[in-house]
Amino acid sequence: MTLVKQLFEDRRRSSNLSPLAVIDIGSNSVRLVVYEGASRAPVVMFNEKVLCGLGRNVATTGRLGDEAVQRAIRALARFRALADVLKVKSLQVFATAAAREAENGAAFIDEGESVCGAPIRVLTGEEEARLAAQGIVMGISNPDGIVGDLGGGSLELIDLRDNDFRRATTLPLGGLRLIDATGNKIDKAMSLIDEQLDRVDWLPEGRDRTFYAVGGTWRAIAAMHMAQIDYPLHVMHGYVVPTQELIDYAGMIRKAKKLTSLRGISEVAKARREVLPMGAAVLERLLVRLAPQKVQISVFGVREGYIYNLLSAAEMARDPLLSFCQDYAKLRSRSAEHAQELCSWTDPLFEGPGFDETPEERRLRCAACLLSDIGWRAHPDYRGEQSLNVVAHAALSGIDHPGRIFLALAVYFRHAGQSTGGNDQLSGRLKAAASRRSLLRARVLGAAIRVAHMMSAGMPGIVCHTPLSYNGDSLVLSIPRARAALDGERLRRRFATLAELVARKPEVRIV
């Protein structure tokens, strides 16, 4: 059974949990996320957060502030009402560091449960770390490295190998806690950060692996970094930054006299900006200790880790990227079955000399095939750019940014042909950002799909009987005699373009 075909077999959703919602009561923010259902690629129906600052004074007073509590209670009341409007079938609520450590945390939980009409689970540090790790497994393909989840009250560090939670540590290094504990003195905070990191004797295990950065403050720093380098995408999940580059950038934020002078600060909510220097200081000192190969930003964390726990073993084993693409093909393509057929139909093309396709490259090719017809309803003149924009910014998981760029370009070339225009638009910027190998593969795949649609009109049951093959210096398209009438000038022009891209002569055979 092929990788993609397996996804179409025995597809089940947890309908008794659709939709489901999670309320995350953190030390800085209280957030509601409503998901379409429990699946390997969860789709968000609604997302709202309120920056309440529950943990703002816990370090010095031991208590949740009265104003912060009332703001959080009002947020919980609104979130309960929204859950009712959205007809949520399962509402799960959990709280983290501030609520579990404050002496009036229990009273806040009691009031919160009354407002929510649901029990609030106060997570231990270990539970929070485990869920953060499972969130990474949910959103990133085959993760292996150190996960860091920075909240307002604490920092969770987790060693993740082979999708397995190995060990974890919770440190009192959240942004609000550091502001409270040090009187917002960054030099004093640096000493406290180093003191706490010294306690973690397994940090050298992070050397030359990946560091997965989770949490709103670190996402804000990544958004500013994107603006600083004029990055072509504005999707946070899967964004990768070289370690030393991010150490230097975090140091710049830590030392900045005025945050408003930094490029990209407009990307950060005003209520979030006060914790940026502390979050940058923690990131800087942690990366120096870990010495990872790279830093990858994840928008998947504790909430998604909770959803992961609801999945069956079979659903957990599914590929998150292909699961999403399959669902999207069903919603937007003329035929999801035809999109599936394209993956097998293009296999011989990429088995030819010069491609030496890796398993990961084939996985991305199958994903591109599944997404290749999602723009068919758009105006023909704009299908390329519109499809590229949708794919480039879709809520994909299990993929990094180079993979995302490949998908977007492959779908673009499928509609636009071998266009060299668009240099002032997103397509031109993504072409410049892609590697030469990735760009060629995207062009070849796009050209192949254009050939397929000339024969099939996007309908299943055709391309599986019209195989591609290499024969010496020729690329051969074989059409059965019963389908000979599908041959034509436009088909041959598109096939000649494909053959040229793979440095072969085009040959159409009626067999």
Side-chain angles (χ1 to χ4, degrees), residues 366-385:
C366 290
C369 289
L370 287 170
L371 297 174
S372 62
D373 199 36
I374 62 171
W376 74 277
R377 291 181 183 273
H379 188 285
D381 292 346
Y382 302 102
R383 285 175 185 160
E385 288 285 353

Side-chain angles (χ1 to χ4, degrees), residues 23-26 93-97 99-100 108-109 120-123:
I23 297 177
D24 178 0
I25 304 172
V93 191
F94 53 76
T96 55
R100 72 173 173 253
F108 164 69
I109 294 299
I120 298 177
R121 178 180 172 186
V122 181
L123 301 177

Side-chain angles (χ1 to χ4, degrees), residues 197-349:
L197 292 178
D198 283 341
R199 296 173 45 207
V200 189
D201 59 6
W202 52 267
L203 286 184
E205 295 293 322
R207 180 174 293 276
D208 295 329
R209 296 164 71 198
T210 300
F211 177 66
Y212 302 102
V214 180
T217 300
W218 284 346
R219 287 196 297 272
I221 291 172
M224 291 173 63
H225 184 266
M226 286 178 168
Q228 175 79 11
I229 66 173
D230 194 25
Y231 192 69
L233 293 180
H234 296 279
V235 176
M236 198 58 58
H237 189 66
Y239 181 54
V240 172
V241 187
T243 299
Q244 189 58 52
E245 185 174 333
L246 194 53
I247 289 173
D248 294 341
Y249 186 68
M252 184 182 75
I253 294 175
R254 172 178 61 82
K255 298 171 186 175
K257 294 188 184 330
K258 289 186 178 180
L259 288 177
T260 53
S261 67
L262 298 177
R263 185 174 182 182
I265 192 63
S266 60
E267 303 289 329
V268 182
K270 290 182 179 179
R272 174 79 68 185
R273 294 178 189 178
E274 68 169 326
V275 297
L276 277 181
M278 293 298 181
V282 174
L283 183 61
E284 178 187 5
R285 300 308 298 158
L286 179 59
L287 292 181
V288 169
R289 303 290 185 95
L290 285 173
Q293 181 186 53
K294 61 184 178 181
V295 180
Q296 185 165 349
I297 306 299
S298 173
V299 302
F300 283 56
V302 172
R303 293 178 296 275
E304 290 73 23
Y306 174 78
I307 301 297
Y308 186 77
N309 277 316
L310 299 179
L311 305 181
S312 67
E315 188 73 12
M316 286 181 180
R318 294 185 186 277
D319 185 295
L321 173 63
L322 296 179
S323 293
F324 177 93
C325 294
Q326 176 210 353
D327 286 347
Y328 212 68
K330 288 180 178 180
L331 288 171
R332 301 289 295 272
S333 299
R334 279 170 285 194
S335 167
E337 184 180 349
H338 177 262
Q340 174 197 353
E341 290 174 348
L342 290 175
C343 185
S344 298
W345 183 75
T346 55
D347 276 343
L349 185 64

Side-chain angles (χ1 to χ4, degrees), residues 133-195:
Q134 289 171 333
I136 294 295
V137 173
M138 183 75 148
I140 293 175
S141 181
N142 300 315
D144 185 348
I146 305 299
V147 180
D149 186 354
L150 183 70
S154 63
L155 168 67
E156 275 68 48
L157 294 173
I158 310 104
D159 186 355
L160 187 62
R161 292 178 184 266
D162 302 321
N163 290 344
D164 185 29
F165 176 97
R166 295 296 180 93
R167 52 193 164 186
T169 299
T170 297
L171 302 175
L173 294 179
L176 286 179
R177 181 188 291 269
L178 286 171
I179 290 173
D180 187 26
T182 66
N184 205 16
K185 303 296 184 184
I186 197 72
D187 291 339
K188 187 175 179 181
M190 293 291 281
S191 297
L192 183 56
I193 292 166
D194 285 336
E195 177 185 324

